[in-house]
Amino acid sequence: MASRGNVDLGKSMKGLVNNPGENNCFLNATIQILWHLPVFRNSLASLYGHYCLSGKCVFCALKTLFIRLEKVDRPCIPPDVLRRAMADAFHAHNRFQLGRMDDAAECYEHILSRLHYHVAPNTAEDACTHQYCISHAKCSMSILEQLCCDCGELSEPLGFSQVVQYVSASAVV
């Protein structure tokens, strides 16, 4: 079997279950993005210590799902373990609930935020430099924002770091 990097392509060519009514498409898209980033996948596999929230632990659920994707000999893997952890973790916000659709970009952002919380619970997300926080070490971007007025004046530059930058379509056209 051919390989790419250190991943056997046969093992990486698995699907995620999305039976009618489960509405896992947003979650499955997010899982696929993270799974197909070897630096993220390998970093997650190498981490063991974290602040665990048992049934609400997105860290444990994602790690379990990645192990299943790598080791289980089935063409499709159910994302249930992560779906339940997300539903429990965000129950108070009425987000990512079982059987309901949600947004893939927001799911990606919330998973990375939750991983940050599990690994660096006492570190602010917008200034995280924690060595084991894979959300920020592997997936964040440093942004320098500055406004330019029609008169030519510039605002003071504002630097920050975040894992997702939402930009309106009209701002880039």
Side-chain angles (χ1 to χ4, degrees), residues 18-39:
N18 188 19
N19 291 319
E22 290 180 344
N23 295 314
N24 290 331
C25 52
F26 71 93
L27 180 62
N28 290 352
T30 302
I31 293 165
Q32 290 173 38
I33 289 168
L34 297 172
W35 172 254
H36 288 287
L37 291 172
V39 69

Side-chain angles (χ1 to χ4, degrees), residues 43-57:
S43 296
L44 182 66
S46 70
L47 286 177
Y48 292 98
H50 69 285
Y51 177 65
C52 188
L53 295 174
S54 179
K56 295 180 181 183
C57 189

Side-chain angles (χ1 to χ4, degrees), residues 18 82 86 126:
N18 188 19
L82 184 57
M86 291 290 287
D126 62 346

